[in-house]
Each structure stands twice: as C-alpha cells, then as structure tokens.
Amino acid sequence: MSSPMVCIDASPIRPLRRRGSLALGRRASFWVSAGVVAHTLWTSAAPAMTYRLYAAEWHLTHTVTTGIFAVYPIVVVAVLIGFGDMSDHIGRRTTMLLGLCASLIGALLFAVAPSVLWLFAGRALMGVGVGLSIGPSTAAMVEFSPEGQAKRAASITTAAQAFGFAAALLLGGTLTQYAPWPIHLSFWVLSALIALLLGATWFLPRHVVLDASDRWHPKVPAIPPRLGPAFALAAIAVTTAYTHGVLILSLGGQVAHDLVGSPDALINGAALSLFAVTSGVVGIVARRLRPRLAMMLGAIASAAGMGLLALSVAWRGLSIFLAATAMSGAGYSLLFLGGLALINGAIPAQHRGGVLSALYLFAYLSLGVVALALGVVATQRGLGLAVDIGAAVIALLSLATIGLLAVRGSRWRTT
C-alpha cells in the first residue's frame, strides 16, 4: 500500500492518506512548520546568556566563546552546501525530522556538558539540525499557506523566528539568573520542546515535489538563471539581517554586562529580546509593504541601529542600548521580510527548497566569518573595538543593500 503523499506545486495541496493513517490538515501543518522555523532561531540564541558563565567557569577567552558560536553557522553552511535541496527530492517532512533529531542531540549535549569540548560538539549538531530544517520549513510554510499568500508566509516566518529568538533570551535570562543549574537547565527545557516539535512533525503529510523525480545526491544548491537578479537582491538583504546575530547572540550578553554595565542576566536577556520582539511586531505590521520598500527601510533602520549600539558602548547607556536593539530588530525584520517575500514570489515549486537553502547559505556564512573575526579582535584588542567593527560591518552591508536596490530599481523602472 502506498505511503501518504502530498503533491505540491502552485496548485492546492492534496493529501493522499492511506486508510487508518494520521496526517495533519493544511492549517495545522502550516503552524507546525512555523514551529520548526522558530526552533532554528531558538537553538541559535539558546546559549546567548550563558557564554559569560562558560567563560567564568572554564576561564575562556572571547575567541573561544565566539568560536563556540561560530561553529554553528559554519556547520549550517556546510550542510546547506551539500544538502540544501534534499527536501525537494525526499520531502519537507523527512528532511525536517532529520534536522530536529540533530538539534535535539545538540541541545542534550549542552544540557549535560562537563567541558567546553561538549559545547563545540553540541553547537555542531545544532548546526546540522538547522541546516537541514531551515530551508524545508520555510518552503513548507509557503506550500501549506493559502494559494497566492507568499507575503503572508514571509511575514509569519519572520514572526516565528522572532518568537524563537525572544523565547530563548527571556527564558535563558530567567533561568540563568534565578533557577538552579544556570548553565544547564535552559537546555533541558529546549530539549523537551524540540522533542514535542519532533512528535508533531511526524504527523505532517508526506509529499513529493513535482518535476523533482531525479535521484537526490549531495550538491551545491543551484539558482535557476532567471532568478539571478532577484536572488542577489534577496541574498544581500537576508545576509545583512542575519549578520546582526553576531552582536546580539554571540557578544550581546557580554556587551550588556561588561560594557553597558548591567549585571542582571534577566534584564540583559530582556534587553536583547527587545530585538526579537520588535522584529516580530514589525514583521506583522509591515507584511503589506512591497519587498523593495521593506528592504530599503530595513537597511536604513539597520544602519541607524548600529550607530546607536556603538554610542551605547561609548556612553555606557542602557537606554541607548535598548534603543539600539529595538532599531536593529526593526531593520532585521524589514530586510528579512522583504528579501524572503521577493524570492518566495519567484521560485518554482520544484526548486523552492534548494533556492531558499542557498539564500540561508550566504546569511550563515557571513554570520560565521564575522563572529570568528570579532572574537579574535575582542580577545586581542578589547570587546569595545570588536563591537565598533561589527557595527561598521553591518552598516556597510546595509549601504550595499541600498546601493543594489537603487541599481535594480532603475532597471525595473526601465523594464
């Protein structure tokens, strides 16, 4: 008897269930896929409030703590290079299940870690998990949404990421400050949540993608030639957005404690979560904006946020730091929303998983390279200089986005 399958293209999804089998409906499948998207940012942000504790307990330098962070995006990039289009061939559900299993093992390693080597192994497995699940879950949200609702899918994807980000920082800050086992308990909670999500994902409909019948083998995700200009613009916008994670996730907790002068982990987590809360709210409010306008406003907000961040470190001002995280969150949301909406509206169904994985590949590559570089600078020349350089890099990426928008905009008007 054949397996339950869903044939996904531009037409509505039609689940083919065998007798007695259980499969979620379209709406439930959409929200489970959103949960998988949320887990990618939750696992990324989960150690943000504990890096300082690891450094104190195991006498780690900034190079080592940012190295723990950077292993994650580097492994994500490696997985995306070799396995980015796998879900186009074996299905979104199967690929997401593999990714969630890897994320669960990575979180459990953090929960029991007796030494820093366990953290590197855990971050690597989290990277495998996110690399396998980020593209398929984003594609599944498009495919399980009502027909022609690519913008809505992009908006809720942004909100799901913001939820995962905020939950990790607020829960991590609370458990780190007030609960026992401050460097372990939050990862036990994360492990339990991933296990629940794994169970829900098991009941997603199985599907294949039309015109992707050739046998899958590891390869670099390919971009259809006609998508080149749109992909380039979306890639620079999403890369700019994701690079914020270096200053917020890798160094944010240490910046708030050491440079801004806020000793309470919960307050610092709340301050950093303002980035996520703002990005989620803006992502929902701005969902009707045209992609080009959203990316332009996001690049401006991002550059302004980086200026405020540098100012907060120079003046040791918590209020300025809060304004910087909020402005940066707005910039992140608009850049990501605009880039994702632009590319979602142009991808053929049979290439969706591969193209979205390629989009994330550039974003995570920038995240890993910048994190390692800033870690070295922070160790050798001080955390303050590292923050200034990181803010300058993101501001330059924002200006590059504005420049590319201007060039492409003039060509679109001519066309």
Side-chain angles (χ1 to χ4, degrees):
M1 192 174 293
S2 61
S3 300
M5 301 173 72
V6 175
C7 296
I8 294 176
D9 60 357
S11 61
I13 297 172
R14 296 182 294 106
L16 304 177
R17 299 183 180 91
R18 61 188 178 188
R19 183 177 300 175
S21 67
L22 292 176
L24 298 175
R26 185 165 188 159
R27 183 185 294 273
S29 297
F30 176 86
W31 289 110
V32 170
S33 301
V36 179
V37 170
H39 118 277
T40 63
L41 262 290
W42 193 317
T43 55
S44 178
M49 304 312 301
T50 54
Y51 286 126
R52 184 179 59 82
L53 301 181
Y54 295 138
E57 181 162 333
W58 294 325
H59 309 290
L60 308 179
T61 65
H62 290 302
T63 301
V64 176
T65 56
T66 53
I68 297 168
F69 173 85
V71 164
Y72 164 81
I74 290 171
V75 173
V76 171
V77 168
V79 172
L80 289 174
I81 287 174
F83 302 88
D85 69 339
M86 186 166 70
S87 72
D88 289 332
H89 299 262
I90 70 171
R92 314 292 186 220
R93 171 187 174 274
T94 302
T95 311
M96 285 191 281
L97 286 172
L98 293 173
L100 288 169
C101 286
S103 293
L104 176 59
I105 297 171
L108 288 172
L109 287 179
F110 265 81
V112 300
S115 69
V116 70
L117 292 179
W118 286 60
L119 302 184
F120 278 103
R123 284 305 268 173
L125 282 166
M126 287 179 178
V128 172
V130 171
L132 288 175
S133 60
I134 184 67
S137 58
T138 306
M141 289 186 67
V142 176
E143 292 160 354
F144 287 123
S145 63
E147 188 175 0
Q149 295 292 315
K151 280 189 176 181
R152 176 178 179 269
S155 175
I156 297 179
T157 299
T158 306
Q161 290 194 348
F163 173 80
F165 201 135
L169 294 171
L170 288 173
L171 184 63
T174 302
L175 296 179
T176 298
Q177 187 67 32
Y178 299 111
W181 316 301
I183 64 175
H184 297 291
L185 185 58
S186 63
F187 296 102
W188 282 112
V189 173
L190 175 60
S191 299
L193 292 172
I194 294 176
L196 291 173
L197 187 58
L198 186 63
T201 304
W202 179 265
F203 293 102
L204 288 179
R206 294 186 178 94
H207 68 270
V208 294
V209 179
L210 295 181
D211 301 324
S213 57
D214 55 311
R215 180 169 297 186
W216 177 82
H217 59 275
K219 60 182 180 297
V220 177
I223 309 301
R226 71 179 184 83
L227 290 183
F231 180 84
L233 185 52
I236 186 65
V238 173
T239 296
T240 304
Y242 263 58
T243 308
H244 286 83
V246 178
L247 295 181
I248 302 299
L249 299 182
S250 177
L251 297 173
Q254 297 172 80
V255 169
H257 184 275
D258 298 344
L259 299 184
V260 178
S262 175
D264 190 292
L266 177 56
I267 293 175
N268 295 341
L272 294 175
S273 70
L274 187 59
F275 175 96
V277 171
T278 305
S279 70
V281 171
V282 170
I284 294 172
V285 171
R287 66 184 183 275
R288 297 188 183 276
L289 289 180
R290 292 178 179 271
R292 182 172 178 268
L293 178 59
M295 287 184 281
M296 180 67 74
L297 294 175
I300 294 170
S302 176
M306 292 302 99
L308 288 171
L309 180 62
L311 194 63
S312 71
V313 171
W315 290 2
R316 297 179 66 85
L318 182 59
S319 60
I320 304 175
F321 183 72
L322 291 172
T325 55
M327 184 67 74
S328 299
Y332 167 91
S333 180
L334 290 166
L335 285 165
F336 182 79
L337 174 66
L340 194 59
L342 176 67
I343 204 68
N344 273 347
I347 313 173
Q350 65 268 27
H351 296 297
R352 187 172 285 125
V355 172
L356 288 173
S357 293
L359 188 72
Y360 286 117
L361 189 156
F362 284 98
Y364 278 103
L365 180 62
S366 173
L367 196 63
V369 170
V370 175
L372 285 174
L374 294 187
V376 173
V377 172
T379 299
Q380 296 183 355
R381 302 295 297 274
L383 185 58
L385 180 61
V387 172
D388 290 340
I389 293 175
V393 168
I394 296 173
L396 287 174
L397 285 171
S398 300
L399 293 175
T401 304
I402 293 172
L404 189 55
L405 279 166
V407 171
R408 293 304 310 167
S410 64
R411 294 182 182 177
W412 287 333
R413 284 191 294 271
T414 300
T415 303

